[in-house]
Amino acid sequence: MRKASALIVTAGLLMTALTACASPGTGQASCDTGATSGPASDLVSVTGDFGSAPDVHFPTPLKSSTTQRTEVIAGSGQRVVAGQMVSVELNLYNGTTGAALQVSAFDGSTAMPLALGDTTLPGIVDGLVCAREGGRVAVVIAPEDGIGANDQLGIAATDSLVLVVDIVKAFLPQADGVDQAVANGLPAVVLDANGTPGIVVPSGDLPKDLEVGVLKKGAGDKVQDDSTVIIHYTGVLWEGDTVFESTWPTRSPRLTPLTDLPAGLATAISGQTVGSQLVVVVPPALGYGPDMQGEVPGGSTLVYAVDILGIN
């Protein structure tokens, strides 16, 4: 296997490859269905401490018809679950040629976020679900669970991929705060068994001001105005009670600076704590304004249910 000492592809290119090729509904891994160790993943030799660059060797060509995972360093943190956002350091190799496609520093400076939902390659989801925060795993991804043919990355359709991953941090999968009493008149939020919110817009006059209700009060860090947050959310139109945006159907939380959100939503989240769940009513002036934006008609009042899962 050829070794590499520099970043081979940009993080943006790698993230596009790892997250843009999955089909909806593929990321269904659980502790019962996720990858287990096998003869291919056991052939990946990895030495070095967690948080430092690993020395990786494997025989080539290394191929597998199933995605396999071998634990290299046992983590002591929470188990990773499907639908969760994690921060990882990873090296990526072509299992056929041994070529390094991505080499990270493993010192925190090149950590990247991955949402272990339906927008991420099933081989990644299967390989990381049920590993622990603070752990290192070696994953051999079967071709059908991987990127597919990619000339830019030098991957053929029949190539397995080899990943060595440090799970630096696992963010909350859903809000875990203490239930709070909410003022009358705000939209109701009803959760299903998986924590997915449904929003019931009340009858009555259209609110003219920003309104924020704390449904769950988290015990985590406080969000600052310049924070980059990990959130799950659903947005509906007050008039018509129609969902215009949601992260829940693909089980893929969003990582975003507050400054990229509508002003009213950013204001509502700033100052809240990780683990909290909010219901937010955003008037047009603090939302998308008078012009149509995507599926949002101009002048719309917006209602959001938001889980604050972490600060990156």
Side-chain angles (χ1 to χ4, degrees):
M1 193 204 81
R2 295 197 300 272
K3 296 176 64 178
S5 58
L7 197 66
I8 305 302
V9 296
T10 67
L13 174 58
L14 179 65
M15 284 297 294
T16 298
L18 297 183
T19 61
C21 302
S23 300
T26 57
Q28 302 297 322
S30 69
C31 285
D32 294 328
T33 62
T36 58
S37 62
S41 62
D42 286 345
L43 284 174
V44 182
S45 172
V46 183
T47 57
D49 297 328
F50 181 89
S52 64
D55 190 16
V56 181
H57 298 273
F58 55 87
T60 56
L62 183 60
K63 294 182 177 291
S64 179
S65 60
T66 61
T67 294
Q68 302 173 12
R69 173 185 66 212
T70 294
E71 184 179 70
V72 178
I73 298 173
S76 58
Q78 62 175 297
R79 286 194 182 277
V80 174
V81 298
Q84 191 169 20
M85 178 77 76
V86 294
S87 178
V88 299
E89 294 266 20
L90 63 82
N91 285 359
L92 174 67
Y93 306 90
N94 185 315
T96 301
T97 66
L101 306 175
Q102 167 80 28
V103 175
S104 297
F106 283 81
D107 60 1
S109 64
T110 51
M112 63 179 64
L114 280 176
L116 300 182
D118 300 339
T119 59
T120 298
L121 293 179
I124 299 284
V125 178
D126 291 348
L128 296 187
V129 162
C130 281
R132 288 190 181 274
E133 184 182 56
R136 173 175 289 177
V137 295
V139 183
V140 178
I141 299 178
E144 66 176 14
D145 295 336
I147 294 171
N150 187 304
D151 291 339
Q152 194 170 9
L153 292 174
I155 301 171
T158 57
D159 290 341
S160 295
L161 301 176
V162 176
L163 279 174
V164 176
V165 184
D166 276 9
I167 303 173
V168 178
K169 186 173 180 60
F171 300 98
L172 292 175
Q174 63 187 70
D176 65 352
V178 178
D179 292 339
Q180 306 290 300
V182 180
N184 292 331
L186 283 171
V189 177
V190 181
L191 307 181
D192 69 10
N194 296 318
T196 304
I199 301 174
V200 181
V201 176
S203 58
D205 295 336
L206 194 68
K208 296 181 179 180
D209 300 317
L210 178 69
E211 297 184 0
V212 182
V214 179
L215 305 175
K216 296 178 184 290
K217 179 65 174 178
D221 294 336
K222 182 179 290 189
V223 178
Q224 306 299 321
D225 289 343
D226 59 352
S227 292
T228 295
V229 294
I230 296 91
I231 55 175
H232 250 322
Y233 65 94
T234 293
V236 305
L237 304 177
W238 181 283
E239 295 181 307
D241 199 11
T242 303
V243 175
F244 64 86
E245 187 175 17
S246 181
T247 58
W248 287 96
T250 59
R251 304 185 311 154
S252 299
R254 179 178 173 184
L255 174 75
T256 179
L258 283 189
T259 52
D260 285 355
L261 297 175
L265 182 58
T267 298
I269 295 173
S270 181
Q272 305 291 346
T273 50
V274 172
S276 296
Q277 183 181 71
L278 313 176
V279 59
V280 184
V281 180
V282 179
L286 297 176
Y288 291 113
D291 299 322
M292 187 164 185
Q293 297 284 337
E295 298 183 26
V296 180
S300 292
T301 296
L302 313 175
V303 182
Y304 291 92
V306 185
D307 283 17
I308 304 173
L309 307 178
I311 300 171
N312 192 45

